């Protein structure tokens, strides 16, 4: 499922050579995983060796493995990435099917040049409607606020604060609890249902590892 974004897309691109690719996980070849793993090590490595550790070898995912990937390429290879996974989460006391977006990264030299969180969401938006999940959902760290505020301002999504998200750790360790609770900014995209039907609750259970 390879698609090129034309020059006329406006805000999605600042560089006409950027190409967005939308693909299912089983469409990726070994070379794709190897290239993505190296991209993630370089993208996450500056924030700490632990953050880059999951991507050793050719492993191109951190916790839960995505169903779909949104990958941006330019003349230097992978420029940006986001993953999508349908899953049931628990918002307060309500079980809810969502299309979770995560595993987001942008190569540092293209930050602010069209390869953005907003660009990835815009590109994937038509497909999100076909996944039969009533909401798109992402839990991002407060440090990413500037990356997500733009999609909130244009009405594509709603940004929620004051929410904690509980996830299982990607591995079991003897010296720490098996679950982790983090404060997060929520990005909620009303897809099949209006935002008024998003359940109330200040604690979200993934019942699995983050994407």
């Amino acid at each position: 499922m390879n698609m090129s974004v034309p020059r006329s897309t406006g805000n999605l691109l600042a560089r006409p050579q950027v190409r967005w690719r939308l693909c299912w996980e089983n469409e990726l070849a070994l070379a794709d995983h190897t290239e993505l793993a190296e991209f993630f090590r370089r993208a996450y490595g500056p924030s700490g060796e632990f953050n880059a550790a999951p991507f050793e070898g050719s492993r191109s995912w951190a916790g839960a493995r995505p169903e779909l990937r949104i990958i941006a390429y330019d003349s230097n290879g992978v420029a940006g990435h986001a993953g999508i996974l349908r899953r049931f989460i628990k918002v307060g006391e309500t079980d809810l099917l969502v299309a979770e977006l995560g595993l987001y990264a942008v190569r540092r030299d293209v930050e602010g040049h069209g390869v953005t969180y907003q660009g990835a969401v815009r590109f994937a938006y038509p497909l999100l409607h076909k996944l039969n999940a009533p909401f798109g959902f992402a839990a991002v760290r407060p440090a990413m606020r500037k990356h997500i505020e733009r999609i909130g301002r244009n009405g594509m999504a709603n940004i929620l604060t004051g929410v904690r998200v509980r996830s299982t750790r990607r591995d079991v360790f003897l010296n720490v609890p098996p679950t982790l609770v983090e404060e997060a900014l929520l990005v909620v995209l009303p897809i099949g249902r209006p935002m008024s039907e998003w359940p109330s609750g200040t604690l979200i259970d993934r019942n699995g590892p983050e994407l």
Side-chain angles (χ1 to χ4, degrees):
M1 190 185 298
N2 298 329
M3 300 176 65
S4 296
V5 181
R7 185 189 296 264
S8 61
T9 308
N11 289 338
L12 283 185
L13 293 180
R15 300 177 178 180
Q17 71 267 30
V18 173
R19 174 174 62 90
W20 291 94
R21 177 188 179 193
L22 185 61
C23 60
W24 293 94
E25 186 71 356
N26 61 9
E27 294 175 338
L28 294 177
L30 177 58
D32 294 316
H33 287 290
T34 300
E35 184 179 23
L36 285 168
E38 182 180 359
F39 163 76
F40 285 124
R41 287 195 298 270
R42 292 182 176 179
Y44 291 132
S47 62
E49 183 179 349
F50 178 80
N51 294 326
F55 307 104
E56 290 301 319
S58 297
R59 175 170 164 151
S60 65
W61 62 96
R65 192 164 177 170
E67 286 182 278
L68 285 154
R69 294 178 186 258
I70 312 158
I71 310 171
Y73 295 91
D74 66 6
S75 59
N76 294 314
V78 177
H81 178 281
I84 301 174
L85 174 66
R86 284 170 292 188
R87 71 195 311 171
F88 278 94
I89 62 174
K90 194 167 188 177
V91 185
E93 298 299 320
T94 303
D95 288 317
L96 185 67
L97 174 65
V98 296
E100 181 169 3
L101 289 88
L103 201 56
Y104 172 72
V106 173
R107 208 175 65 224
R108 292 199 167 194
D109 64 299
V110 297
E111 286 182 353
H113 293 281
V115 184
T116 63
Y117 195 91
Q118 181 190 24
V121 172
R122 271 191 187 277
F123 185 70
Y125 202 72
L127 180 69
L128 289 173
H129 282 270
K130 298 179 182 180
L131 295 180
N132 295 321
F135 296 99
F137 158 80
V140 303
R141 291 165 181 79
M144 280 192 60
R145 178 182 289 271
K146 68 177 183 179
H147 295 280
I148 64 173
E149 282 181 338
R150 194 173 295 175
I151 62 172
R153 288 197 298 266
N154 69 19
M156 184 185 301
N158 295 268
I159 313 300
L160 306 181
T161 59
V163 179
R164 295 174 300 148
V165 180
R166 180 162 53 204
S167 311
T168 58
R169 298 182 189 272
R170 57 177 174 259
D171 294 302
V172 176
F173 303 96
L174 296 180
N175 59 338
V176 294
T179 59
L180 175 68
V181 179
E182 298 178 289
E183 296 286 339
L185 295 174
L186 291 192
V187 181
V188 179
L189 294 84
I191 300 173
R193 289 161 57 181
M195 190 64 198
S196 60
E197 295 186 22
W198 178 263
S200 61
T202 58
L203 178 65
I204 291 178
D205 269 310
R206 274 196 178 101
N207 287 310
E210 70 174 310
L211 191 56

